[in-house]
Structure formats: structure tokens, C-alpha cells
Amino acid sequence: MPTHTNSTLLASGHQKLAWARAHMPVHAALRGRLGQTRPFAGQTIAVCSHIEAKTGILLETLAAAGAQVVFAGSEPGSSQDDVVAALNEHPAITGYAERGVSEARLAELHRQALAHAPALILDDAAELTARLVHERPDLLTGLKGVCEQTTTGVQRIRAMLDDGALAFPAYAVNHTPMKHEFDNIHGTGESALTNLLLTTNLLLAGKQVVVAGYGDCGVGVAHKARALGAQVTVTEVEPRQALRAHMNGFAVRPMAEAAAIGEFFITVTGNREVLRREHFERMRSGAILANAGHFNVEIDAAALAELAIERYPARSGIETFRFADGREVHLLCEGRLVNLAAPTAMGHPAEVMDQTFAVQLMAAVDLWEHGATLAPGVHTVPDRVDRQIAELKLETLGIVLDEMTEAQRRFLAAWKSEELL
Ligand code: NAI
């Protein structure tokens, strides 16, 4: 690569890191504390995630805590080459991530990261964890545990446990309140819609939007789409989630019906082929399909290709499929995470990732210090870890909590009738 291109790439990466650093005050505070205690001194920690600027700040903080940090991308389309280049300049950080790689190349990059024999893995979708267990069981003796940050990954590690393949403790970081009640709801909600709109340059107000899946991410997408003026239909397979969507005022329909109504479709189920041939056959011409779930299998792109008599790039990040009856359907980012793989994508807002990665980081410190007492399995992150991040976040926002009086504490701890009166 010519030197001027390299220096432009590096400058862009450092600029993005500086902006993220300035907007992640929880990490700034933790970097100061962990820089003193250096809990990971001399240890190798592998981080698998979408390698963009906010992830870079997590990596820097791990390095400040004494770790030799190795990173890899968790998804073929979501890492940013300028940030990767800038991070690789850090003396304690080594990375293996490229944007727009094939699945085979992604696997090769994961193998290179695992070759560093990490003592801990901070994972996204259990990508490094599954590969280590499956392909490098020789590394299991050195692995003290895993912190997993997303819904799909926790599900995958539970499947490993059910299969008798889990030989170490894993913290379900995704399931902490400080992660999923903010990252999945507000982070995915805002960033999925932002990138949908930037990629299409179309208006959401007044449109028919179909959100597949009303879990944490679906809640965020559906409510924020409604706030922008869209008419939102939700599809679900879980009765309580469907009821929740209904009582929150959304239309709930099976996809077979919703398919004929929607102008925008956003899948966030963590499942596969949620939009498939039978749905494409009913869609209105001009329907726009986007996915925000982890894997690019929620929209059956192969079925779209089979149905199409012609396909062409309509705009950066949009491929159009024309059917024999003249209808056209537009697929965003090959069905990959729209908030990370779209041409303008930056992932979640910095303030949200400041929280998410702080929980990942402090869960890792806790696992390092107490992991030996935990049996192999999927564990809840101790509440004190999550609460500590919430307190720190409030402090950075200048928000002050009330404190209970002694009488209130006694009241809440009482059970005898005379103590409650
Ligand atoms: P969740 O488990 O809270 O919700 C998923 C919902 O989808 C559930 O209510 C489930 O019943 C429903 N569902 C499953 N199959 C369905 C089907 N065929 N049709 C309709 N609904 C169906 O999971 P969460 O936290 O909302 O995550 C969803 C996906 O998004 C996961 O893959 C997760 O890893 C990913 N994710 C993506 C982020 C991003 O940056 N885009 C951020 C956080 C999570």
C-alpha cells in the first residue's frame, strides 16, 4: 500500500478513536483505576467484536489494565480498516480484522488471533469461543473463561453446555441490565434506524414498518420507528412477547400477512429465514429489507436470488431484485447487520457502548479474580459489577440518586406485621 494512503488511513483511524475516547467517560474513569491496579499484567486477552472506534477504546483500556490484547472481527462486514490500522500501532495491541472479508477469511483471522493462546476471551456471538472449543482444544487448559456480550452468543454457549462441550465458566454479559436494557433497546433501536434511513435516503414518517421479533432489540426498533411517525407491525413466535407488543399499541400479525403490508422490514430475531420465499412472493414492489440480528441468515437472500430474473446494485449498500411480475425488492447490506455493515455505519452510539464495554471489562476483571471458584457453565454477572457501572455512569452524567433512610431500610427488610405498621 502506498505510504500516503497508509498515513491517510491511520489519521482517519486515530481521529475516530479520539472522538470515541472523548465520549466514553466511564472508560476514562476505569482506565485511570485499572491503570493503577493492572489486574491483567502479563496476560493475553482476546477480544472478538465489531472492530470500530468504541471497541478500540475497550482494547486500550484492557491494555492499560496490563493485558497483551489480541483482537479479531466478529462479523465479515462490520470492522473498519482505518481503526484496525490505528489500533495495530499500539504496542500492547495486535489485531486480525478486515472489512468485507469472506467467511473463510474471517475464520482464518480468528485462527490467527487464537494462536496467541488467550487466558480470557471477550466475545461477540461466541465466534472465538466456538472456534477454540471446536478447533483448538489444546488451548483449553490456558483459558480461564469467557465474557459474552450478545444474545446470540449466550445462546450459542448454552448450546455448547447442553452438548457437554463447555469446560470453562462463561459470563452472560448480554443479560446484565446495564447491557441489554440500554445497548439492545436504545443502541440497536437508534443505530439500526439511523443506518436504514441514511442508506436509503427515504422518509420513515407515515410508512408501514414491519419489525420481526419483539425482544430487546425489536422493542427498541419498534418504539423508535413509531416515534418517527411510522405505522409499525410486529411479528413474534413467543406468546408473551406478542402480547407485550399488542398492549404497547402495535399491530401484531403473522409474517404471511405483514409481508403484504410492509414498506420497510427489519428483522431482529436471532433466528434464520424469518423473511423467505413465501413472503417475498407477497411483498409490495419497492419493499426494503434490512436485518439487525447478528447473523445474515434472517433474510433468505438465496431465495431472493432464485426468485429474481434480474438483480443490480441500486445504490451503495442496496441490491435490488426484480421478479418476473415486475415487482422489485431492495436488500440492504446483503442482509448483514444494517447498523454495522451499511456504507455509513458506525455501530451503536458511543455513550451506549461506553456502558456495554464497561460491563464486559469489569466482568472480565471479576472472572479473572474469581473464575477459579466458578464451575464450567453459563453464569450471571454478579449484580455488584453491574451496579458499579450504573453508579459510575450516573456520576459521569452528574445525576444524583436519593438515599434510603434507616427506617426505610428496616421497613424493606421486615416481615412481621407489627414491624410493617
Ligand atoms: P431476544 O431474544 O430478546 O429477542 C428475539 C425475539 O425474536 C424473541 O422475542 C423471539 O421470540 C423472537 N423470534 C424468534 N424467532 C422469530 C421468528 N421466526 N419470527 C418472529 N419473531 C421471532 O434477542 P435480542 O436481544 O432482541 O437480539 C436479537 C438479535 O439481535 C440477536 O441475534 C442479537 O445477537 C442481535 N443483536 C444485534 C445488535 C446490533 O448491533 N444490531 C445488538 C444487540 C443484539
Side-chain angles (χ1 to χ4, degrees):
M1 193 183 293
T3 315
H4 71 275
T5 310
N6 208 16
S7 62
T8 310
L9 196 72
L10 282 170
S12 164
H14 282 298
Q15 193 180 47
K16 286 181 183 175
L17 285 166
W19 180 264
R21 203 178 292 118
H23 293 88
M24 295 176 72
V26 175
H27 273 70
L30 292 174
R31 213 161 33 247
R33 288 183 197 175
L34 298 175
Q36 300 288 318
T37 54
R38 293 177 62 80
F40 298 131
Q43 300 302 325
T44 299
I45 298 189
V47 178
C48 184
S49 192
H50 312 288
I51 306 301
E52 46 79 50
K54 283 94 66 185
T55 314
I57 305 309
L58 166 68
L59 303 182
E60 285 180 0
T61 311
L62 284 164
Q68 285 297 317
V69 184
V70 182
F71 68 81
S74 64
E75 207 277 336
S78 62
S79 290
Q80 296 183 8
D81 293 333
D82 50 359
V83 175
V84 169
L87 286 169
N88 268 320
E89 287 204 320
H90 192 297
I93 299 177
T94 310
Y96 305 93
E98 296 162 8
R99 191 174 180 90
V101 288
S102 65
E103 296 289 349
R105 176 71 182 147
L106 186 75
E108 185 46 39
L109 293 166
H110 287 171
R111 289 185 192 108
Q112 289 176 26
L114 286 176
H116 289 254
L120 283 179
I121 297 177
L122 277 56
D123 217 346
D124 184 301
E127 285 287 283
L128 278 188
T129 306
R131 200 168 295 286
L132 183 145
V133 170
H134 193 53
E135 295 182 12
R136 294 295 308 269
D138 57 305
L139 298 177
L140 280 171
T141 44
L143 183 70
K144 300 287 179 277
V146 167
C147 293
E148 170 54 50
Q149 75 178 33
T150 201
T151 316
T152 285
V154 173
Q155 199 171 301
R156 209 168 163 192
I157 295 176
R158 287 218 168 107
M160 245 179 245
L161 180 67
D162 294 344
D163 212 18
L166 195 68
F168 46 82
Y171 268 156
V173 170
N174 178 72
H175 294 6
T176 62
M178 281 297 284
K179 200 282 181 180
H180 72 100
E181 288 176 19
F182 300 91
D183 177 308
N184 301 32
I185 295 176
H186 297 287
T188 309
E190 283 196 21
S191 65
L193 291 177
T194 302
N195 284 287
L196 177 72
L197 299 181
L198 283 174
T199 306
T200 58
N201 193 25
L202 295 174
L203 188 72
L204 204 65
K207 293 276 170 58
Q208 292 287 346
V209 173
V210 177
V211 179
Y214 197 68
D216 289 318
C217 294
V219 164
V221 173
H223 284 257
K224 288 171 196 291
R226 180 164 67 188
L228 288 172
Q231 304 283 327
V232 180
T233 297
V234 166
T235 71
E236 251 299 340
V237 292
E238 211 285 329
R240 286 147 303 184
Q241 295 305 98
L243 207 49
R244 210 172 145 209
H246 168 71
M247 293 210 188
N248 281 329
F250 296 106
V252 180
R253 298 187 168 94
M255 187 58 88
E257 273 178 36
I261 298 170
E263 294 171 282
F264 286 96
F265 291 81
I266 305 160
T267 55
V268 258
T269 67
N271 209 337
R272 64 182 306 149
E273 287 121 30
V274 177
L275 284 177
R276 50 187 180 267
R277 188 184 180 107
E278 70 204 65
H279 305 131
F280 305 140
E281 285 172 341
R282 293 169 189 218
M283 282 180 182
R284 293 159 66 154
S285 190
I288 288 167
L289 318 182
N291 169 50
H294 185 81
F295 288 113
N296 69 331
V297 295
E298 303 213 12
I299 303 171
D300 188 353
L304 261 184
E306 273 168 30
L307 266 179
I309 54 162
E310 188 193 350
R311 54 194 281 188
Y312 60 91
R315 192 179 145 89
S316 179
I318 307 180
E319 188 172 17
T320 298
F321 295 77
R322 180 176 295 144
F323 303 149
D325 59 9
R327 283 178 306 125
E328 288 192 336
V329 167
H330 310 291
L331 176 66
L332 268 54
C333 320
E334 301 165 358
R336 298 192 186 284
L337 293 153
V338 68
N339 59 326
L340 285 146
T344 50
M346 295 281 159
H348 287 7
E351 298 95 324
V352 164
M353 293 317 293
D354 197 16
Q355 284 182 215
T356 297
F357 284 146
V359 187
Q360 260 297 49
L361 177 70
M362 295 315 287
V365 172
D366 195 79
L367 193 58
W368 184 248
E369 288 169 354
H370 305 290
T373 64
L374 298 173
V378 180
H379 296 270
T380 304
V381 177
D383 192 58
R384 63 183 148 71
V385 174
D386 198 57
R387 192 182 165 94
Q388 177 198 15
I389 306 299
E391 285 167 351
L392 197 49
K393 176 77 183 177
L394 285 173
E395 209 177 296
T396 67
L397 292 168
I399 296 173
V400 180
L401 284 177
D402 262 341
E403 276 185 38
M404 282 196 273
T405 63
E406 199 37 49
Q408 287 171 338
R409 276 185 218 287
R410 280 201 306 275
F411 179 79
L412 294 181
W415 64 273
K416 292 177 195 154
S417 306
E418 58 269 29
E419 290 173 341
L420 289 165
L421 296 173

